[in-house]
Amino acid sequence: MKDYFRLGGAAMLMLGAIFISRAYEGYLNRRIAEYRGLIALLSHAEGKISRFLSHGCELWRDFSDEALEKCELLKHLREGVDLKEAFEMVKDKMSLSKNASARLTERLSSLGRGYKDSELSLLSSIKEHLTAEMNSESEEAEKNIKVVRALLLGGALAMAIMVI
């Protein structure tokens, strides 16, 4: 009977390690999806401004992104809140790092003060920075996921061997 408890405990350790590594992978994938959504949002705004001279909540009316819907950014934008304020309202719900959020807030604060050409170049600049950050985060995420899996599963296996 004692051996069954040991084997059961070892199996639970392995399952727990797998569960934690999957949760971490989901968190990093959510972060990358939020970056992609923000880049798509800015591209959409560029198109609306350059083609129709849209402004305010008209910019966001026909845009949708699952990651940005979950954190309620699009909800606030559709209610007429400007992009910087809407981002400030939801940045704690997003999985972006504090440094990335602070940099994005700083860049968004200069939006809405110029004419069409300056706004388009500013949007393009913000989009380039987000793309660079997303690429960097993607590369780091792949490495981090592998390291976390190896450490968790290796640690759980070591504990299982010691228990058995």
Side-chain angles (χ1 to χ4, degrees), residues 6-21 147-164:
R6 286 183 180 177
L7 288 175
M12 288 176 59
L13 278 172
M14 294 300 286
L15 288 175
I18 290 170
F19 177 75
I20 291 171
S21 69
V147 168
V148 166
R149 275 191 189 148
L151 289 175
L152 284 172
L153 292 174
L157 185 60
M159 290 295 292
I161 289 172
M162 288 190 321
V163 168
I164 295 176

Side-chain angles (χ1 to χ4, degrees), residues 54-74:
S54 297
H55 65 284
C57 59
E58 291 296 319
L59 287 171
W60 326 113
R61 195 165 301 258
D62 56 347
F63 179 79
S64 66
D65 183 78
E66 185 178 336
L68 298 182
E69 291 284 354
K70 284 182 182 177
C71 68
E72 298 181 349
L73 178 68
L74 293 178

